[in-house]
Amino acid sequence: MTAVADSTRYPLVLDDVLGWFSPLDQGLFGWFLTRQNDRGERGDLLEMGVYMGKSAVFLGEHLKRGETFTVCDLFESPASDDANNAEIAQYHPSVSREAFEHNYLSFHDELPRVLQASTSVVPHEVAPASCRFVHIDASHLYEHVSGDIAAARDAVLPTGLVVLDDFRAKHTPGVAMATWETVLLHGLRPICLSEDKFYGTWGDPEPVQEELVAMLRERHDCSLTLEVAGGHRIVRTDMLGAGAQHTTAPSSH
């Protein structure tokens, strides 16, 4: 049975917002975004696919003055093809723009820039080389994910990061195929892998990887595995024990 958001109740903490955004990925998002801030890296934020807004709420906490946060989702609008409509009906039948905005405004004073449309509009709506952080969590269909990754490549800054959700879930082979195809053929370089998300860049991954490895080695609640695949160094991490229940997510105002 699919859960339906109660738009009359304001979420008090991030865990009250429906969605899939693990404590580990919250920690990784926060670490990467804080590192960008500490290094003085500026740029916009972009999320393709928002569901009920859980990760968008988190990203909004890291938006700086003068930056733009753009989110793109069909919400209630129909997709342009039957396969995408079938996927939405199966996995996200209750998504609505009203629910997203309700949740987001529980934590922030202003909404992000909202594009209620297919992610195919992103190249026309987001300036090239303008984003420091792009999160892709929209369609799981190979053709759509490939297009989303191409849009991210155009939008992201040379030192920016792209994060892909569901890159290895058993029900999302299209995401896996598009992700690793881009690594092998189109220059995307892995930084790290969590249970749910792929973190990468079209820039040089080594500096951020070295800092990430150093941080993970100091923690006792995260695993750390280093390996090489296809000539790419990859960091893998997961939460250990009780740490999997810990989160430092934002609270509503």
Side-chain angles (χ1 to χ4, degrees):
M1 182 175 181
T2 302
V4 178
D6 179 2
S7 62
T8 65
R9 184 175 68 87
Y10 284 92
L12 299 177
V13 295
L14 193 63
D15 283 347
D16 291 339
V17 180
L18 291 178
W20 304 269
F21 190 32
S22 72
L24 174 61
D25 286 308
Q26 291 174 37
L28 289 171
F29 270 48
W31 186 85
F32 283 115
L33 290 159
T34 298
R35 178 182 181 272
Q36 288 179 333
N37 182 57
D38 291 345
R39 292 168 57 88
E41 297 179 11
R42 292 291 179 265
D44 296 335
L45 309 178
L46 170 63
E47 182 166 75
M48 290 182 263
V50 302
Y51 190 50
M52 296 294 181
K54 194 165 192 172
S55 54
V57 167
F58 193 98
L59 284 168
E61 290 287 319
H62 293 270
L63 187 67
K64 304 302 179 185
R65 185 183 299 274
E67 296 178 340
T68 299
F69 180 22
T70 300
V71 301
C72 183
D73 199 294
L74 283 167
F75 298 109
E76 306 94 333
S77 301
S80 59
D81 60 276
D82 292 341
N84 203 5
N85 279 318
E87 182 189 32
I88 293 168
Q90 181 176 2
Y91 293 109
H92 303 305
S94 61
V95 172
S96 73
R97 180 167 178 170
E98 179 184 12
F100 165 77
E101 293 183 349
H102 176 89
N103 289 333
Y104 194 89
L105 290 174
S106 297
F107 298 87
H108 300 287
D109 294 329
E110 297 180 0
L111 288 169
R113 179 184 180 225
V114 179
L115 304 176
Q116 183 169 348
S118 163
T119 52
S120 62
V121 307
V122 167
H124 309 289
E125 296 287 345
V126 178
S130 62
C131 297
R132 59 184 170 96
F133 195 99
V134 179
H135 182 215
I136 300 174
D137 189 12
S139 173
H140 297 143
L141 303 177
Y142 166 76
E143 294 79 5
H144 293 282
V145 181
S146 294
D148 292 346
I149 295 174
R153 183 174 186 175
D154 289 342
V156 77
L157 288 157
T159 58
L161 281 86
V162 60
V163 183
L164 288 124
D165 186 63
D166 280 336
F167 78 102
R168 61 178 178 183
K170 64 182 180 181
H171 66 289
T172 59
V175 182
M177 185 176 294
T179 300
W180 293 113
E181 178 183 67
T182 308
V183 170
L184 294 173
L185 300 179
H186 303 297
L188 181 60
R189 305 181 72 178
I191 296 173
C192 75
L193 311 178
S194 70
E195 179 69 23
D196 300 314
K197 298 184 188 292
F198 171 105
Y199 296 75
T201 181
W202 276 280
D204 180 4
E206 186 173 350
V208 65
Q209 275 188 333
E210 290 299 326
E211 292 181 36
L212 178 63
V213 168
M215 181 273 289
L216 291 171
R217 281 179 172 155
E218 293 180 354
R219 296 188 58 147
H220 302 291
D221 58 348
C222 296
S223 65
L224 170 63
T225 304
L226 302 176
E227 59 184 82
V228 176
H232 295 277
R233 184 191 192 211
I234 300 173
V235 177
R236 290 195 291 112
T237 185
D238 203 351
M239 297 298 284
L240 300 174
Q245 304 302 317
H246 177 69
T247 178
T248 55
S251 298
S252 62
H253 51 225

